[in-house]
Amino acid sequence: MIVIDCRCLQDDSKFRGIGNVIRSLITHLPNKHQYRLLSEKGCGTFECYGIELLEFQIPSNQNHYSKCLCDFLKAHHIKHCHFMAQYNIPANFNFPFSVTVHDLFNDSLLTNPKRYQQKLTPLLSNLHKAKHIIAISNYTKSTIIKQLPHSSVSVIYNGFNSSMATHANMPFDLSKPFNIKKPYILYVGNYEKRKNFLGALRGFIEFNKHSPHYQLVACTGHQPLIVPPPILWLRIKHYQKINLLSYLPSNTLATLYNHAAALLFMSYAEGFGLPVLEAMAVQTPAVISNRTSLPEVGQDAAMYADPDKPHDIAAALIKITTDQACRSSIIENMPKVLTQFDSKKQAALYDQLLTTLVQ
């Protein structure tokens, strides 16, 4: 019996890309009878899609968490545990496990290389014990191999939310609840420095000089208590052109993707880049960063720009919104790219690999 750790669906991760990835996996996972889902008792519920749920009682002493979890899994005849996120492996976890690694980023990635490596050390110690590591992109695999050259790593791409296109066709008036007016450029991300929301804003503002009738609609999820001052200043200065939205349900987000002139996604560092595929699912072209995993995901079905150069971003936005031949070519390339990231294919590959690990 194999247990899949779904504790991410009980915290704020359920609102992020990782939540979508886990839901997609357990929805399409074949041979569901040989799997169980791990949750923490009393910490929230989620849809199990026909797979039996194991509810772990959190011990009163957190120092005993790892041992108690191991005993709990053994008592339920579990042979192998798969963690769906690298940061969810308990310290000193003494049980056969594998893990999906989305990235090796932390908040010092872009600012302090020495501090970045220091903060990475506990995670690397846990990953070193894994029987196998699943990376969500070749870029992520290369970063893992660089840190752990002797580890066993394979790549299984994330599956994209195929229901996006269905939700996108639902009738919805964007103007009433959100004061959104077409045409608009869509940003999907949060305030982490690596997401480069500031760079996206600067690029849009430069684009807006050429195309002043456009609005930027930014879906940033749960906003921080303190918005970074440079972002706050641009928001105040250009308040009529920048519309900030917090967490949205999937059907509303799908509608926003569908009606957008383009997606703007200027991350400095991504382990994958799910919004790019979500935009493709409704044939919305994307202007994305030319760094890390994004060219691997976008391929020839997206436009690229330097995330540090507002003029470069603006030029790409101008081209994608005015050059119909370019736009049509990108849209024509989307289906062949999307087939590489099919949710059912992802689930089948997980099932094949995890089954092999317990044999």
Side-chain angles (χ1 to χ4, degrees), residues 234-276:
L234 289 178
R235 170 71 176 92
I236 294 171
K237 186 177 180 181
H238 302 275
Y239 72 95
Q240 291 182 322
K241 296 295 185 179
I242 300 171
N243 192 337
L244 297 184
L245 305 178
S246 57
Y247 171 74
L248 298 173
S250 58
N251 60 329
T252 304
L253 182 59
T255 303
L256 288 177
Y257 272 117
N258 190 37
H259 290 279
L263 172 72
L264 182 59
F265 199 62
M266 283 292 116
S267 292
Y268 286 129
E270 288 289 336
F272 189 73
L274 206 57
V276 179

Side-chain angles (χ1 to χ4, degrees), residues 171-181 243-246 248-249 252 255-256:
F172 188 78
D173 186 352
L174 297 172
S175 62
K176 289 182 179 178
F178 304 119
N179 194 30
I180 296 172
K181 297 178 182 179
N243 192 337
L244 297 184
L245 305 178
S246 57
L248 298 173
T252 304
T255 303
L256 288 177

Side-chain angles (χ1 to χ4, degrees), residues 184-337:
Y184 63 88
I185 304 298
L186 180 66
Y187 168 87
V188 178
N190 57 37
Y191 288 86
E192 290 181 51
K193 185 169 288 188
R194 68 178 180 88
K195 294 289 186 178
N196 193 28
F197 183 29
L198 181 60
L201 283 175
R202 287 171 172 163
F204 170 78
I205 291 167
E206 195 64 35
F207 161 74
N208 214 220
K209 295 175 184 177
H210 176 275
S211 304
H213 53 296
Y214 277 84
Q215 183 183 47
L216 178 71
V217 176
C219 300
T220 57
H222 295 297
Q223 296 189 20
L225 293 175
I226 301 176
V227 176
I231 292 176
L232 183 60
W233 166 243
L234 289 178
R235 170 71 176 92
I236 294 171
K237 186 177 180 181
H238 302 275
Y239 72 95
Q240 291 182 322
K241 296 295 185 179
I242 300 171
N243 192 337
L244 297 184
L245 305 178
S246 57
Y247 171 74
L248 298 173
S250 58
N251 60 329
T252 304
L253 182 59
T255 303
L256 288 177
Y257 272 117
N258 190 37
H259 290 279
L263 172 72
L264 182 59
F265 199 62
M266 283 292 116
S267 292
Y268 286 129
E270 288 289 336
F272 189 73
L274 206 57
V276 179
L277 299 183
E278 291 175 338
M280 284 188 198
V282 294
Q283 296 191 331
T284 295
V287 173
I288 63 179
S289 167
N290 57 9
R291 299 186 186 178
T292 61
S293 67
L294 292 176
E296 183 180 346
V297 175
Q299 301 179 37
D300 59 356
M303 285 202 70
Y304 298 90
D306 187 327
D308 279 324
K309 297 180 179 179
H311 287 281
D312 198 26
I313 298 169
L317 285 172
I318 291 169
K319 189 171 182 64
I320 204 66
T321 55
T322 61
D323 188 332
Q324 192 56 48
C326 173
R327 188 179 181 89
S328 297
S329 176
I330 285 175
I331 291 174
E332 287 173 6
N333 292 334
M334 290 178 181
K336 70 175 183 180
V337 174

